[in-house]
Amino acid sequence: MINSFLMVGQSNMAGRGYLNDVKQIYDEKIKMLVNGRWQTMTEPINFDRPTSGIGLAASFAGAWRLKNDQEEIGLIPCSDGGTSLDDWAVGGALFENAVFQAKLAKKISKLSGILWHQGENDSFGGLSALYYDKLSIIVDAFRRELDVPDIPFITGGLGDFLSGGRYGKYFTEYSQVNDALQKFAETNPNCYFVTAHGLTANADGLHFDAISQRRFGIRYFESLYEKKNILAPLASENELIRIIQDRPLTKKEQGALLEIDFACGKISLSDLEEKLGLLNDQSN
């Protein structure tokens, strides 16, 4: 049985890390939900915008696989960039879509957690003061609608770089949102907070860069696995990223990646057939 995780929030959960900045994670036992069916995960996972890129979910799943090497994990991408808590209000399009997708996943998996990252769009104009109460309503509704009253809910903090970036004037209350997120985790059962301390941004000063997303995913998994808040960077982050990204691929996985490269026009048909032939020779 696949263990599945719902991905909800805005652009930093969807992922905007540059695809070429890190080695891709590919594992046939890491799935993503597409049209109600599981496909082997490829990045970007959460294609909400043409700018979609590396998010935290792939390294989260990779870390999960290190602890569960015989089991499959499924990711349910439902994040949408530039959205506020009001956009995620119960009964709204984003909320209803996430519930619908998660219910589809529940038919073919065990829903095992909710991964949330959101808050940039509630970091100005006094909105941070309303954050705790609004989030409480949304999380309670997710658990009720999906009939998972005790499901772990993992949320991450906003980046410390926000106030100094290109769009800094829009995030004057980001630290108050972080306080609300941490308070929420501390005062609600099976809810956990993951710090963004030490993580860095793309040149826009708004989105976590690719390596930071990899590190963030490790922290999210550690929070889930240990059932606790993660309030400081983990000493093992970089080593775990290396292990996950450099995992030896099976012949089947290598062949699948070659087929993808061919379908995307990265290699010619003759190159594909030559490389597949070499793989087959190695198997004999």
Side-chain angles (χ1 to χ4, degrees), residues 135-166:
L135 182 62
S136 297
I137 292 170
I138 293 168
V139 175
D140 287 347
F142 270 135
R143 286 172 161 171
R144 181 176 63 252
E145 291 293 323
L146 296 171
D147 193 25
V148 284
D150 300 318
I151 194 169
F153 177 86
I154 316 295
T155 182
L158 307 185
D160 293 329
F161 48 73
L162 282 175
S163 62
R166 180 181 181 187

Side-chain angles (χ1 to χ4, degrees), residues 59 62-63 66-67 199 211 214-223 225-226 228 230 232-245:
S59 56
L66 290 177
K67 297 290 187 180
L199 303 183
I211 188 61
R214 291 283 194 249
R215 293 172 63 195
F216 219 7
I218 298 295
R219 296 178 193 182
Y220 266 66
F221 173 75
E222 185 73 8
S223 179
Y225 186 71
E226 296 293 342
K228 68 178 185 180
I230 303 298
L234 304 172
S236 59
E237 288 172 3
N238 292 332
E239 177 62 14
L240 286 173
I241 291 167
R242 185 194 64 77
I243 292 170
I244 293 166
Q245 292 185 157

Side-chain angles (χ1 to χ4, degrees), residues 20-38:
N20 292 332
D21 282 357
V22 291
K23 186 175 180 180
Q24 295 289 294
I25 293 172
Y26 190 80
D27 181 338
E28 63 182 347
K29 290 188 176 181
I30 301 178
K31 309 294 185 180
M32 60 184 186
L33 194 72
V34 180
N35 295 325
R37 304 173 67 185
W38 294 119

